[in-house]
PDB file of all heavy atoms in Angstrom:
ATOM      1  N   GLY A 174       6.462  24.863 -21.803  1.00 73.00           N
ATOM      2  CA  GLY A 174       5.698  23.854 -21.074  1.00 73.00           C
ATOM      3  C   GLY A 174       6.551  23.027 -20.141  1.00 73.00           C
ATOM      4  O   GLY A 174       6.155  22.740 -19.000  1.00 73.00           O
ATOM      5  N   TRP A 175       7.746  22.626 -20.590  1.00 77.00           N
ATOM      6  CA  TRP A 175       8.627  21.803 -19.765  1.00 77.00           C
ATOM      7  C   TRP A 175       9.135  22.581 -18.556  1.00 77.00           C
ATOM      8  O   TRP A 175       9.185  22.055 -17.442  1.00 77.00           O
ATOM      9  CB  TRP A 175       9.799  21.288 -20.598  1.00 77.00           C
ATOM     10  CG  TRP A 175      10.911  20.700 -19.765  1.00 77.00           C
ATOM     11  CD1 TRP A 175      12.161  21.195 -19.611  1.00 77.00           C
ATOM     12  CD2 TRP A 175      10.851  19.519 -18.960  1.00 77.00           C
ATOM     13  NE1 TRP A 175      12.893  20.412 -18.766  1.00 77.00           N
ATOM     14  CE2 TRP A 175      12.113  19.367 -18.348  1.00 77.00           C
ATOM     15  CE3 TRP A 175       9.858  18.588 -18.689  1.00 77.00           C
ATOM     16  CZ2 TRP A 175      12.415  18.318 -17.496  1.00 77.00           C
ATOM     17  CZ3 TRP A 175      10.151  17.537 -17.826  1.00 77.00           C
ATOM     18  CH2 TRP A 175      11.399  17.404 -17.246  1.00 77.00           C
ATOM     19  N   GLN A 176       9.525  23.834 -18.769  1.00 77.00           N
ATOM     20  CA  GLN A 176      10.008  24.650 -17.643  1.00 77.00           C
ATOM     21  C   GLN A 176       8.902  24.897 -16.615  1.00 77.00           C
ATOM     22  O   GLN A 176       9.151  24.868 -15.412  1.00 77.00           O
ATOM     23  CB  GLN A 176      10.536  25.983 -18.178  1.00 77.00           C
ATOM     24  CG  GLN A 176      11.846  25.864 -18.944  1.00 77.00           C
ATOM     25  CD  GLN A 176      12.252  27.169 -19.580  1.00 77.00           C
ATOM     26  OE1 GLN A 176      11.411  27.917 -20.093  1.00 77.00           O
ATOM     27  NE2 GLN A 176      13.557  27.463 -19.572  1.00 77.00           N
ATOM     28  N   THR A 177       7.687  25.135 -17.102  1.00 77.00           N
ATOM     29  CA  THR A 177       6.565  25.329 -16.177  1.00 77.00           C
ATOM     30  C   THR A 177       6.312  24.070 -15.359  1.00 77.00           C
ATOM     31  O   THR A 177       6.072  24.132 -14.149  1.00 77.00           O
ATOM     32  CB  THR A 177       5.292  25.706 -16.953  1.00 77.00           C
ATOM     33  OG1 THR A 177       5.536  26.914 -17.678  1.00 77.00           O
ATOM     34  CG2 THR A 177       4.115  25.907 -16.011  1.00 77.00           C
ATOM     35  N   PHE A 178       6.366  22.909 -16.032  1.00 76.00           N
ATOM     36  CA  PHE A 178       6.171  21.655 -15.320  1.00 76.00           C
ATOM     37  C   PHE A 178       7.277  21.427 -14.289  1.00 76.00           C
ATOM     38  O   PHE A 178       7.007  21.029 -13.150  1.00 76.00           O
ATOM     39  CB  PHE A 178       6.143  20.497 -16.325  1.00 76.00           C
ATOM     40  CG  PHE A 178       6.064  19.137 -15.669  1.00 76.00           C
ATOM     41  CD1 PHE A 178       4.859  18.665 -15.168  1.00 76.00           C
ATOM     42  CD2 PHE A 178       7.198  18.342 -15.551  1.00 76.00           C
ATOM     43  CE1 PHE A 178       4.790  17.416 -14.556  1.00 76.00           C
ATOM     44  CE2 PHE A 178       7.141  17.100 -14.951  1.00 76.00           C
ATOM     45  CZ  PHE A 178       5.925  16.634 -14.452  1.00 76.00           C
ATOM     46  N   ARG A 179       8.517  21.715 -14.695  1.00 75.00           N
ATOM     47  CA  ARG A 179       9.659  21.426 -13.818  1.00 75.00           C
ATOM     48  C   ARG A 179       9.719  22.353 -12.615  1.00 75.00           C
ATOM     49  O   ARG A 179       9.987  21.908 -11.493  1.00 75.00           O
ATOM     50  CB  ARG A 179      10.951  21.543 -14.634  1.00 75.00           C
ATOM     51  CG  ARG A 179      12.205  21.262 -13.827  1.00 75.00           C
ATOM     52  CD  ARG A 179      13.442  21.418 -14.695  1.00 75.00           C
ATOM     53  NE  ARG A 179      14.660  21.245 -13.913  1.00 75.00           N
ATOM     54  CZ  ARG A 179      15.893  21.416 -14.392  1.00 75.00           C
ATOM     55  NH1 ARG A 179      16.057  21.776 -15.665  1.00 75.00           N
ATOM     56  NH2 ARG A 179      16.951  21.259 -13.616  1.00 75.00           N
ATOM     57  N   TYR A 180       9.464  23.626 -12.819  1.00 77.00           N
ATOM     58  CA  TYR A 180       9.679  24.600 -11.741  1.00 77.00           C
ATOM     59  C   TYR A 180       8.405  24.995 -10.986  1.00 77.00           C
ATOM     60  O   TYR A 180       8.490  25.521  -9.878  1.00 77.00           O
ATOM     61  CB  TYR A 180      10.329  25.865 -12.320  1.00 77.00           C
ATOM     62  CG  TYR A 180      11.725  25.627 -12.846  1.00 77.00           C
ATOM     63  CD1 TYR A 180      11.994  25.681 -14.221  1.00 77.00           C
ATOM     64  CD2 TYR A 180      12.773  25.340 -11.977  1.00 77.00           C
ATOM     65  CE1 TYR A 180      13.266  25.460 -14.711  1.00 77.00           C
ATOM     66  CE2 TYR A 180      14.055  25.112 -12.471  1.00 77.00           C
ATOM     67  CZ  TYR A 180      14.299  25.169 -13.829  1.00 77.00           C
ATOM     68  OH  TYR A 180      15.551  24.941 -14.300  1.00 77.00           O
ATOM     69  N   ILE A 181       7.245  24.762 -11.566  1.00 78.00           N
ATOM     70  CA  ILE A 181       5.986  25.174 -10.918  1.00 78.00           C
ATOM     71  C   ILE A 181       5.149  23.964 -10.500  1.00 78.00           C
ATOM     72  O   ILE A 181       4.821  23.801  -9.318  1.00 78.00           O
ATOM     73  CB  ILE A 181       5.160  26.082 -11.852  1.00 78.00           C
ATOM     74  CG1 ILE A 181       5.983  27.306 -12.284  1.00 78.00           C
ATOM     75  CG2 ILE A 181       3.864  26.502 -11.154  1.00 78.00           C
ATOM     76  CD1 ILE A 181       6.422  28.202 -11.144  1.00 78.00           C
ATOM     77  N   ILE A 182       4.835  23.115 -11.473  1.00 78.00           N
ATOM     78  CA  ILE A 182       3.909  22.014 -11.190  1.00 78.00           C
ATOM     79  C   ILE A 182       4.568  20.920 -10.354  1.00 78.00           C
ATOM     80  O   ILE A 182       4.019  20.480  -9.340  1.00 78.00           O
ATOM     81  CB  ILE A 182       3.354  21.425 -12.500  1.00 78.00           C
ATOM     82  CG1 ILE A 182       2.579  22.501 -13.273  1.00 78.00           C
ATOM     83  CG2 ILE A 182       2.452  20.228 -12.215  1.00 78.00           C
ATOM     84  CD1 ILE A 182       2.086  22.042 -14.632  1.00 78.00           C
ATOM     85  N   LEU A 183       5.759  20.482 -10.763  1.00 77.00           N
ATOM     86  CA  LEU A 183       6.411  19.365 -10.076  1.00 77.00           C
ATOM     87  C   LEU A 183       6.690  19.644  -8.600  1.00 77.00           C
ATOM     88  O   LEU A 183       6.438  18.784  -7.754  1.00 77.00           O
ATOM     89  CB  LEU A 183       7.696  18.975 -10.813  1.00 77.00           C
ATOM     90  CG  LEU A 183       8.315  17.633 -10.406  1.00 77.00           C
ATOM     91  CD1 LEU A 183       7.321  16.498 -10.619  1.00 77.00           C
ATOM     92  CD2 LEU A 183       9.584  17.362 -11.210  1.00 77.00           C
ATOM     93  N   PRO A 184       7.228  20.838  -8.231  1.00 78.00           N
ATOM     94  CA  PRO A 184       7.411  21.106  -6.800  1.00 78.00           C
ATOM     95  C   PRO A 184       6.113  21.050  -5.998  1.00 78.00           C
ATOM     96  O   PRO A 184       6.101  20.628  -4.847  1.00 78.00           O
ATOM     97  CB  PRO A 184       8.019  22.512  -6.779  1.00 78.00           C
ATOM     98  CG  PRO A 184       8.699  22.648  -8.098  1.00 78.00           C
ATOM     99  CD  PRO A 184       7.823  21.909  -9.058  1.00 78.00           C
ATOM    100  N   ASN A 185       5.001  21.489  -6.631  1.00 80.00           N
ATOM    101  CA  ASN A 185       3.709  21.423  -5.955  1.00 80.00           C
ATOM    102  C   ASN A 185       3.211  19.987  -5.810  1.00 80.00           C
ATOM    103  O   ASN A 185       2.440  19.678  -4.892  1.00 80.00           O
ATOM    104  CB  ASN A 185       2.667  22.240  -6.727  1.00 80.00           C
ATOM    105  CG  ASN A 185       2.759  23.723  -6.403  1.00 80.00           C
ATOM    106  OD1 ASN A 185       2.376  24.172  -5.340  1.00 80.00           O
ATOM    107  ND2 ASN A 185       3.306  24.486  -7.338  1.00 80.00           N
ATOM    108  N   LEU A 186       3.640  19.115  -6.717  1.00 80.00           N
ATOM    109  CA  LEU A 186       3.201  17.722  -6.680  1.00 80.00           C
ATOM    110  C   LEU A 186       4.113  16.835  -5.830  1.00 80.00           C
ATOM    111  O   LEU A 186       3.778  15.672  -5.602  1.00 80.00           O
ATOM    112  CB  LEU A 186       3.155  17.138  -8.099  1.00 80.00           C
ATOM    113  CG  LEU A 186       2.154  17.724  -9.080  1.00 80.00           C
ATOM    114  CD1 LEU A 186       2.255  16.997 -10.412  1.00 80.00           C
ATOM    115  CD2 LEU A 186       0.744  17.625  -8.535  1.00 80.00           C
ATOM    116  N   GLY A 187       5.236  17.385  -5.366  1.00 80.00           N
ATOM    117  CA  GLY A 187       6.254  16.572  -4.705  1.00 80.00           C
ATOM    118  C   GLY A 187       5.721  15.699  -3.578  1.00 80.00           C
ATOM    119  O   GLY A 187       5.878  14.471  -3.584  1.00 80.00           O
ATOM    120  N   SER A 188       5.077  16.317  -2.599  1.00 81.00           N
ATOM    121  CA  SER A 188       4.609  15.544  -1.444  1.00 81.00           C
ATOM    122  C   SER A 188       3.460  14.616  -1.827  1.00 81.00           C
ATOM    123  O   SER A 188       3.327  13.523  -1.270  1.00 81.00           O
ATOM    124  CB  SER A 188       4.179  16.489  -0.320  1.00 81.00           C
ATOM    125  OG  SER A 188       3.135  17.355  -0.744  1.00 81.00           O
ATOM    126  N   ALA A 189       2.625  15.024  -2.803  1.00 84.00           N
ATOM    127  CA  ALA A 189       1.526  14.155  -3.249  1.00 84.00           C
ATOM    128  C   ALA A 189       2.073  12.918  -3.956  1.00 84.00           C
ATOM    129  O   ALA A 189       1.573  11.804  -3.755  1.00 84.00           O
ATOM    130  CB  ALA A 189       0.595  14.921  -4.178  1.00 84.00           C
ATOM    131  N   LEU A 190       3.110  13.100  -4.775  1.00 86.00           N
ATOM    132  CA  LEU A 190       3.731  11.959  -5.438  1.00 86.00           C
ATOM    133  C   LEU A 190       4.396  11.032  -4.430  1.00 86.00           C
ATOM    134  O   LEU A 190       4.295   9.800  -4.531  1.00 86.00           O
ATOM    135  CB  LEU A 190       4.767  12.448  -6.452  1.00 86.00           C
ATOM    136  CG  LEU A 190       4.227  13.050  -7.750  1.00 86.00           C
ATOM    137  CD1 LEU A 190       5.353  13.702  -8.542  1.00 86.00           C
ATOM    138  CD2 LEU A 190       3.538  11.988  -8.586  1.00 86.00           C
ATOM    139  N   LEU A 191       5.077  11.625  -3.447  1.00 85.00           N
ATOM    140  CA  LEU A 191       5.740  10.816  -2.427  1.00 85.00           C
ATOM    141  C   LEU A 191       4.711  10.031  -1.616  1.00 85.00           C
ATOM    142  O   LEU A 191       4.882   8.832  -1.367  1.00 85.00           O
ATOM    143  CB  LEU A 191       6.577  11.705  -1.516  1.00 85.00           C
ATOM    144  CG  LEU A 191       7.381  11.002  -0.420  1.00 85.00           C
ATOM    145  CD1 LEU A 191       8.328   9.970  -1.032  1.00 85.00           C
ATOM    146  CD2 LEU A 191       8.169  12.012   0.404  1.00 85.00           C
TER     147      LEU A 191
END
Side-chain angles (χ1 to χ4, degrees):
W175 167 247
Q176 289 174 321
T177 301
F178 175 78
R179 180 181 176 185
Y180 294 111
I181 303 299
I182 299 175
L183 193 58
N185 278 287
L186 295 181
S188 59
L190 286 170
L191 182 58

